[in-house]
Amino acid sequence: MKLRSSRLSLLLVGMALALSACASDAPQDFTKPEGPIAKQVDRLFDPVFAVAVVVFVLVEGLVLYVAMRFRERPGHDDAPTQTHGNTRLEITWTIIPALLLAVIGVFTVVTILDINKVDATGEALEVDVYGHQWWWEYRYPGEGVITANELHIPTGRRVELKLQSKDVIHSFWPPKLAGKVDVVPGHVNHMAIEATEPGTYYGQCAEFCGLSHSRMRLRVVAHSPAEFATWLAGQKQQPAKPSTSDEGAALFQSKGCAGCHTVAGFTAGEIGPNLTHLYSRKTFAGAIFDLNEQNLRTWLRDPQGRKPGSLMKLPVKLNEEEITKLIAYLETLK
């Protein structure tokens, strides 16, 4: 009876673990690649995972068999026959794993070299990526475009990212488009991504980087080539300079916002995200909040409460009227 209860408990635990892994909506499911580079990684992962499963089943099966077959039984108090070593067996289980690892290693190195080769045609889009605590900055060299948290790319075109950090080690990971690459202070790492279909691809920092690590997300927004050209042209436009009667703009400068945030032609702060075209984005604060009036209001009331440890620290608490005027100004940054 006791053995049956134990087996039932193990079965229930196994079912709970299996069901907990099921999700109808998994936007960061790396097993469903959406681009050619991610598919190359997946083609490597699938056979390696299959081999790992076979090895696991064989080894664990033998362990369980031996544990059950030679377990201590009532009335059998004598020690089992003692044996020492089996040269042929030991050579066999050393050579087979070594050969498996060698084959996997060769295919892994070939795949890594292939997905990381530098585009020689000059047709790839280059983007400089900077990791901050806790948000992502994107710069498009030669275009004069700077944005945050949402990386915009054209479909059907290779995109080469130069990854750098402004503070600590981060890890850039858009799972449906590529693997993970560390973002290291004082060093430039590289990653290539490509999307075949328009859409939004979710990702996050995959290296613990401080108190709000879990709130450092990212989105890759893939457009058709024509739509990307339109987006790029819009990002190059400077917003209208606010009039002297714009109270929200005046508060933006007097309340310390201008010291950290850039708005082209108006302020030049470099600590926080560039806000020149804030309302062309869907999210803010490390892509954790949808960009709307309610979320902005909550954020401006208490940024530290919403994202502990962030550098967004208001020198003076804003009242509701000031927040309303600030939001009204931010809504003009499109």
Side-chain angles (χ1 to χ4, degrees):
M1 183 66 182
K2 186 176 181 180
L3 181 59
R4 184 179 298 176
S5 299
S6 299
R7 289 175 177 173
L8 180 60
S9 298
L10 288 172
L11 178 62
L12 291 174
V13 170
M15 291 176 62
L17 289 172
L19 292 173
S20 66
C22 299
S24 58
D25 181 22
Q28 292 187 210
D29 185 356
F30 74 93
T31 64
K32 297 177 181 178
E34 298 287 348
I37 294 170
K39 288 178 180 178
Q40 280 184 270
V41 177
D42 188 63
R43 284 194 293 271
L44 174 66
F45 171 82
D46 287 346
V48 172
F49 181 74
V51 170
V53 169
V54 170
V55 171
F56 175 82
V57 170
L58 286 175
V59 173
E60 294 303 316
L62 286 171
V63 169
L64 291 174
Y65 169 77
V66 171
M68 296 297 294
R69 175 70 177 80
F70 300 104
R71 70 186 186 278
E72 183 180 3
R73 293 180 174 84
H76 293 75
D77 298 327
D78 296 336
T81 302
Q82 301 299 298
T83 60
H84 177 73
N86 185 315
T87 302
R88 184 177 298 176
L89 184 60
E90 290 174 1
I91 291 175
T92 301
W93 70 37
T94 299
I95 290 178
I96 291 177
L99 289 174
L100 282 174
L101 290 175
V103 172
I104 291 171
V106 169
F107 282 104
T108 300
V109 170
V110 169
T111 300
I112 290 173
L113 292 175
D114 190 42
I115 65 177
N116 287 295
K117 63 183 178 183
V118 177
D119 178 66
T121 65
E123 296 179 355
L125 174 67
E126 294 184 358
V127 183
D128 295 333
V129 180
Y130 294 89
H132 299 259
Q133 288 178 310
W134 288 273
W135 57 282
W136 297 100
E137 178 183 5
Y138 305 111
R139 296 174 178 259
Y140 295 73
E143 304 290 349
V145 171
I146 302 174
T147 187
N149 300 313
E150 297 174 9
L151 173 62
H152 291 255
I153 64 172
T155 56
R157 183 179 176 187
R158 184 182 177 91
V159 180
E160 294 186 348
L161 308 178
K162 293 182 179 179
L163 305 167
Q164 305 169 66
S165 174
K166 292 289 188 178
D167 36 54
V168 300
I169 297 176
H170 302 282
S171 182
F172 193 82
W173 185 41
K176 289 197 173 185
L177 297 178
K180 305 173 185 176
V181 174
D182 281 350
V183 185
V184 182
H187 182 75
V188 179
N189 280 336
H190 298 267
M191 170 189 280
I193 61 174
E194 184 177 338
T196 53
E197 297 293 334
T200 299
Y201 302 90
Y202 297 84
Q204 65 186 67
C205 174
E207 177 79 23
F208 180 72
C209 54
L211 190 60
S212 281
H213 161 67
S214 64
R215 297 174 177 86
M216 187 174 177
R217 303 172 193 170
L218 64 94
R219 295 187 184 187
V220 180
V221 184
H223 306 271
S224 68
E227 289 177 343
F228 177 74
T230 300
W231 175 85
L232 199 60
Q235 295 294 305
K236 293 179 180 180
Q237 301 297 318
Q238 289 196 1
K241 192 171 182 178
S243 66
T244 55
S245 61
D246 190 326
E247 295 181 77
L251 286 168
F252 190 85
Q253 288 191 319
S254 65
K255 295 297 182 179
C257 310
C260 294
H261 297 283
T262 291
V263 176
F266 184 54
T267 65
E270 296 184 355
I271 297 175
N274 187 304
L275 301 182
T276 301
H277 294 287
L278 172 65
Y279 260 80
S280 69
R281 306 168 198 163
K282 301 294 185 183
T283 62
F284 71 102
I288 59 175
F289 302 123
D290 291 335
L291 182 56
N292 56 50
E293 180 181 346
Q294 180 180 352
N295 285 339
L296 268 178
R297 186 174 296 277
T298 303
W299 173 255
L300 291 173
R301 284 172 184 158
D302 183 18
Q304 289 294 310
R306 299 305 301 273
K307 197 167 186 178
S310 73
L311 295 181
M312 178 83 171
K313 297 177 181 179
L314 301 174
V316 180
K317 185 176 178 62
L318 301 170
N319 61 46
E320 291 301 310
E321 183 181 359
E322 290 172 330
I323 290 175
T324 298
K325 292 176 180 177
L326 269 173
I327 292 174
Y329 168 64
L330 293 174
E331 288 175 343
T332 68
L333 305 176
K334 300 179 179 178

